[in-house]
Amino acid sequence: VCSSDLRKSFARLVMARRKPTKIGHYRLVREIGHGGMGTVYEAEHERVKSRVAVKVLHPEYSKDPQIVARFRQEPMAANLTRHPGITHVLESDVLPDGTPYLVMEFLDGQSLRQRLRKAKGGLPQLQVIRFGRQIADALSAAHAKKIIHRDIKPENIMLRPDGLVKVLDFGLAKLANNPQSAIHNPQLTEPGMVMGTASYMSPEQGMGEDTVDKHSDIYSLGVMVYQMLVNEMPYAAETPMGVILKHINDPIPHISDIDDELPPSVD
């Protein structure tokens, strides 16, 4: 284990022992998510008692200008769409120690990743179509504003109990063909820089091309729909780079090879 990994692990351990109980005007109720970049809490406004989600960047990343810039661009990218299928960010600020945080609408339900983990096989076909249509509609609204998500995957899809599907986490988003955009930063989208998650990454994204556009999100959605139908990935390899190379070089697989009972239109 390299020394930087040890430092990050130690920092997380320290934070785990002194978790905050209040951020701004919000009282933290419980931790609801913990990822590589940050921690998400359910919280309640002290006065109006509204429920929100507070996303706090891990302290060890608060001194990294690129990571902080990506974290702060998320509300701008998400809020530009004003679409009900995209999570709205209410506030962006920093803690006294300089650690940035976001206040977002609170979502009851579970992530698509959690739903797939509980499924023995694929999800019901009509349910997959219903989910896919809602995600596609939200992405269409983002693309209409020239926003490319670049990290469509089950962890970033929230399924509410009322049937509404929400797209989360625009931290890797870019605004296509608009250098004057508020969320455009050339240092964060350098040619050759691979951004995203290997299993859902389009070939052009995997090659680090700087011309990634809405079609890359559509490709990622296609991979996710494939997974929802059969609970398997179209490509598998021992390493993330191996998966990326298969997306680039291998033929597109037919889902009917796994489930020959699916209608040809779905295939």
Side-chain angles (χ1 to χ4, degrees):
V1 180
C2 70
S3 59
S4 63
D5 289 338
L6 286 173
R7 285 197 298 270
K8 290 175 183 178
S9 297
F10 178 74
R12 290 195 184 112
L13 179 61
V14 171
M15 280 300 295
R17 289 181 177 176
R18 56 179 182 89
K19 288 180 181 178
T21 58
K22 180 183 173 184
I23 290 179
H25 297 294
Y26 302 93
R27 180 181 63 85
L28 303 188
V29 177
R30 64 187 176 101
E31 182 181 314
I32 56 177
H34 187 92
M37 298 295 294
T39 302
V40 182
Y41 301 91
E42 178 186 349
E44 181 183 74
H45 195 283
E46 289 182 312
R47 293 192 294 273
V48 299
K49 304 301 180 184
S50 57
R51 294 170 77 199
V52 297
V54 178
K55 182 178 181 179
V56 185
L57 187 67
H58 289 321
E60 64 264 32
Y61 296 125
S62 63
K63 305 302 181 185
D64 187 316
Q66 287 196 358
I67 293 177
V68 171
R70 287 204 171 280
F71 193 81
R72 286 178 172 167
Q73 85 168 5
E74 183 173 347
M76 290 183 279
N79 291 347
L80 275 174
T81 61
R82 300 289 178 182
H83 189 277
I86 293 176
T87 304
H88 187 59
V89 180
L90 308 173
E91 186 180 338
S92 175
D93 209 337
V94 295
L95 297 174
D97 65 0
T99 301
Y101 68 89
L102 305 176
V103 179
M104 305 174 289
E105 61 175 310
F106 179 82
L107 299 175
D108 280 315
Q110 61 180 173
S111 71
L112 178 57
R113 175 69 71 195
Q114 291 171 316
R115 176 71 62 86
L116 287 168
R117 282 175 181 154
K118 294 177 182 178
K120 294 182 179 179
L123 302 180
Q125 188 180 136
L126 291 179
Q127 188 177 79
V128 173
I129 292 171
R130 189 163 60 247
F131 291 166
R133 278 182 171 175
Q134 291 191 61
I135 299 166
D137 191 60
L139 288 176
S140 180
H143 296 161
K145 296 289 186 180
K146 306 299 183 184
I147 298 168
I148 316 302
H149 189 285
R150 299 199 300 175
D151 199 21
I152 293 299
K153 58 184 178 182
E155 289 87 343
N156 288 338
I157 305 298
M158 192 66 153
L159 311 176
R160 292 197 339 188
D162 61 3
L164 183 63
V165 178
K166 303 278 276 190
V167 178
L168 316 176
D169 200 342
F170 279 74
L172 292 186
K174 65 174 280 190
L175 199 53
N177 304 322
N178 188 352
Q180 304 306 316
S181 160
I183 66 168
H184 178 83
N185 185 333
Q187 294 181 338
L188 305 184
T189 55
E190 295 174 347
M193 184 182 292
V194 177
M195 311 300 299
T197 303
S199 295
Y200 304 90
M201 201 178 287
S202 67
E204 64 272 21
Q205 199 172 355
M207 290 187 286
E209 294 183 2
D210 61 347
T211 56
V212 169
D213 61 13
K214 65 181 182 180
H215 299 96
S216 189
D217 283 348
I218 296 170
Y219 183 95
S220 300
L221 174 57
V223 173
M224 201 163 60
V225 171
Y226 183 108
Q227 182 184 15
M228 284 193 281
L229 285 167
V230 294
N231 217 350
E232 293 184 25
M233 301 303 297
Y235 302 108
E238 293 183 358
T239 65
M241 182 53 67
V243 174
I244 290 173
L245 290 174
K246 288 197 170 188
H247 278 284
I248 295 170
N249 299 316
D250 286 12
I252 295 175
H254 287 279
I255 199 168
S256 56
D257 292 339
I258 297 177
D259 187 348
D260 57 10
E261 294 184 2
L262 288 172
S265 58
V266 174
D267 190 16

